[in-house]
Amino acid sequence: MGQALELLLTTNALPEVTGRLCAEVFEETLCQNRKGERISLRAIERFLIEHYKFMARPAKVSRSKVAVIGSGPAGLCAAWALMQGGYRVTVFDSASCVGGTLSYSQSEFQFPRQALDAIIRRFQGTGIEFVTDFIFGRAATPADLLEQGFGAVLIATGVGVTKSLGIDGESAGGVMSGDDFLKSVNWRREDPRSWLGSKVVVVGDQGPAFSCARIARRVGRDVTVVVRGPETHVRANPMFVRHAIEEGVKLKAFTNPVKILTGPDGCVTGLGCRYLDYRMDSKGRMVLVEDDTAEFTLEADTLINVAGWDANTLFLRDIPGLEFNEDASLRTKSEFAETSLRGVFAAGGVVEPEMSLTDAMLSGVRAAQEIEKYLSV
Ligand SMILES: Cc1cc2nc3c(=O)[nH]c(=O)nc-3n(C[C@H](O)[C@H](O)[C@H](O)COP(=O)(O)OP(=O)(O)OC[C@H]3O[C@@H](n4cnc5c(N)ncnc54)[C@H](O)[C@@H]3O)c2cc1C
C-alpha cells in the first residue's frame, strides 16, 4: 500500500486535497472493483494519504532553478511537477504562511490544518524551498529573478478581491466578504459567535458559500444561502451542498439580490430580493429572467458576499511588458501558460479567476510541462 501512495504522488501532488475536496464528478471515472461496483477514487486517495507515510527524500536536482510565485494549489502542483523533473524550485509567497486559499478557504472539518502541514513537510523534505513575506512585483520583478539565475518564473498569485454584488447597501455594517469571514475563522482563529448576527444570509453558489454557511450554522445561527439558479445547478461540490442542507442550512433558489436593507444604525437588516425564472429568449435559449412584480425580503443581521473573485494582480500591474485581460487577469498565449514576457509563465486563478481548486491544480501541472519544454530547448 505504501507503494500505492508513492505511485499516487507521482501524478498527484496534493492527495490530501483531492481526497477530501474533489468534486464527485472526478469519482465517476469508470473505476470498478472485481464485483463491478464503482470505486470512489477520492476515498482511495484519502485512505492512502491518511494511513501510509511517505518518506520524503531530497530530490535529485540536476537542472536549472525555477521560481514559483504563489503557494496555492496551482503553485504547489507546479513546484511538485518541476521538482520531479529535476529542477530546483523556490516558492515565494507574499503571505506569512504557505498554502494560498488552502490555508483559509476550508473549514477545519473539511480540510484540517494538519493536512496542510503534512503537505508542506513533504514538499520541504524533497528540497522545495519556501520563502514567505515576499511580495513579487515589489521585492523583485521577473527580470530580477531571471537575473538571479532562475531559468523561468511561474506566476500563480491566485484570486484576490471579492467581486462586488453591485447593489445598494454593500458598505453597511454586518456586510462582509466570504474571504474576510473565512480568514477571521481559519487564520485569526476568531470565534464567530462574538460578531455573527443571529440571522445570516450568504450570497453565492460556489464551494466557499457553503463553507461559510456551515461554519455559521455550526455556531447555532439561522443561515440561508441565496442562489440565482435551481438547486440542481449550484456550482459547489454537490456533496458539500448536501451536507450543508443536512446540517440545517436553508437554500433559496431562483433568487436575485437587488438591495441590502439597513436600519437607522447603518447596519444590515435584510436582503431585498426578486424571484428569477426561466424564459425562452428570441434565440430559443432558456435564460433566467427577473420577476419584477414581486420583491421580498430575507431578514439578516449578517450578510456574507461570496459572489466570486477577481484575479490577484495588484502588485503585478507595474511590471513592464506584462499584459492583462480586460477583467485584470493575467494574459497568457492561448492554450499555453507563457505570458507576454519571455521565460515568465502563469497558472491558476490569476489567469482564470473562476477556476475550481482541482482546475487550479491541473493548470499548475500544465504550466510545469510548458516550463520544462521551454527550459529543454
Ligand atoms: C475563499 C475561497 C474559497 C474557495 N473555496 C473553493 C472550494 O471550496 N472549492 C473549489 O473548487 N474552489 C474554491 N475556491 C477557488 C479555488 O480555491 C481557487 O481557484 C484556487 O485556490 C486558485 O489557486 P491558486 O493556486 O491559483 O491561487 P491561491 O490559492 O489564491 O494562491 C495564491 C497565492 O499567491 C500569493 N500571492 C498573491 N500575490 C502575490 C504576490 N504579489 N507576491 C507573492 N505572492 C503572492 C497569495 O498569498 C497566495 O498564497 C475558493 C476560492 C476562495 C478565494
Side-chain angles (χ1 to χ4, degrees):
M1 284 292 191
Q3 282 171 318
L5 177 61
E6 296 242 351
L7 189 62
L8 175 61
L9 285 165
T10 59
T11 53
N12 180 354
L14 307 175
E16 290 88 347
V17 175
T18 52
R20 284 186 175 82
L21 304 173
C22 211
E24 274 157 6
V25 64
F26 288 85
E27 282 183 52
E28 282 158 10
T29 43
L30 279 177
C31 183
Q32 296 173 341
N33 65 14
R34 286 194 191 128
K35 292 185 205 154
E37 296 157 341
R38 188 163 71 83
I39 298 172
S40 162
L41 290 180
R42 181 173 61 203
I44 292 174
E45 290 178 357
R46 182 164 175 179
F47 174 81
L48 288 176
I49 201 67
E50 286 183 358
H51 288 81
Y52 295 93
K53 209 169 164 52
F54 173 75
M55 300 304 288
R57 305 168 281 276
K60 288 192 189 100
V61 283
S62 51
R63 303 167 94 176
S64 34
K65 290 197 295 177
V66 178
V68 174
I69 316 296
S71 64
L76 288 177
C77 287
W80 188 257
L82 287 162
M83 172 278 295
Q84 287 182 315
Y87 294 92
R88 250 182 305 156
V89 186
T90 307
V91 183
F92 298 91
D93 203 295
S94 55
S96 50
C97 62
V98 170
T101 48
L102 290 175
S103 66
Y104 71 92
S105 68
Q106 308 295 328
S107 41
E108 188 66 23
F109 50 85
Q110 286 171 304
F111 184 70
R113 176 70 221 186
Q114 63 191 42
L116 180 57
D117 292 342
I119 292 172
I120 298 167
R121 275 198 306 276
R122 182 168 68 245
F123 273 58
Q124 287 172 327
T126 65
I128 294 171
E129 270 184 64
F130 290 103
V131 177
T132 53
D133 299 301
F134 178 99
I135 303 178
F136 180 70
R138 288 280 183 280
T141 62
D144 296 332
L145 292 178
L146 294 172
E147 215 164 275
Q148 285 169 27
F150 288 97
V153 176
L154 173 68
I155 303 177
T157 53
V159 283
V161 189
T162 301
K163 276 199 167 96
S164 152
L165 290 170
I167 57 178
D168 284 346
E170 280 192 82
S171 57
V175 177
M176 62 194 312
S177 70
D179 231 42
D180 284 343
F181 177 85
L182 292 166
K183 280 179 181 161
S184 305
V185 176
N186 295 327
W187 267 4
R188 297 192 283 279
R189 303 277 161 198
E190 289 174 13
D191 182 347
R193 271 173 286 227
S194 56
W195 40 261
L196 260 188
S198 59
K199 284 185 189 301
V200 179
V201 169
V202 182
V203 180
D205 73 342
Q206 289 175 286
F210 292 88
S211 292
C212 296
R214 288 176 74 190
I215 294 170
R217 182 67 200 134
R218 283 179 177 219
V219 293
R221 299 317 195 241
D222 178 276
V223 186
T224 306
V225 178
V226 169
V227 300
R228 284 173 54 82
E231 266 184 59
T232 46
H233 283 58
V234 166
R235 284 178 290 174
N237 183 340
M239 179 179 75
F240 295 148
V241 179
R242 198 173 61 239
H243 289 169
I245 291 171
E246 280 167 8
E247 288 175 15
V249 170
K250 290 174 264 181
L251 188 64
K252 193 92 183 138
F254 289 111
T255 300
N256 197 27
V258 289
K259 62 175 173 252
I260 293 166
L261 308 169
T262 51
D265 57 357
C267 291
V268 56
T269 56
L271 182 67
C273 303
R274 288 201 190 124
Y275 280 115
L276 294 162
D277 204 356
Y278 281 118
R279 297 265 188 284
M280 196 156 326
D281 73 3
S282 56
K283 292 184 181 140
R285 294 169 307 196
M286 295 304 276
V287 289
L288 279 171
V289 176
E290 212 175 71
D291 175 357
D292 51 11
T293 56
E295 198 164 306
F296 64 97
T297 300
L298 288 173
E299 275 181 48
D301 28 35
T302 300
L303 189 133
I304 306 176
N305 169 13
V306 199
W309 304 268
D310 289 323
N312 194 351
T313 51
L314 182 66
F315 294 104
L316 310 180
R317 296 193 197 135
D318 296 336
I319 295 175
L322 205 55
E323 289 177 9
F324 299 88
N325 297 311
E326 268 174 27
D327 65 355
S329 59
L330 205 49
R331 182 172 298 160
T332 50
K333 292 181 187 163
S334 62
E335 306 228 5
F336 298 106
E338 196 168 7
T339 67
S340 48
L341 293 177
R342 195 165 160 67
V344 181
F345 297 76
V350 72
V351 178
E352 209 183 300
E354 294 290 309
M355 219 177 241
S356 72
L357 208 55
T358 37
D359 284 341
M361 290 173 61
L362 188 61
S363 88
V365 174
R366 293 211 169 119
Q369 289 164 350
E370 288 299 316
I371 292 173
E372 205 160 353
K373 265 194 242 161
Y374 168 80
L375 290 173
S376 309
V377 177

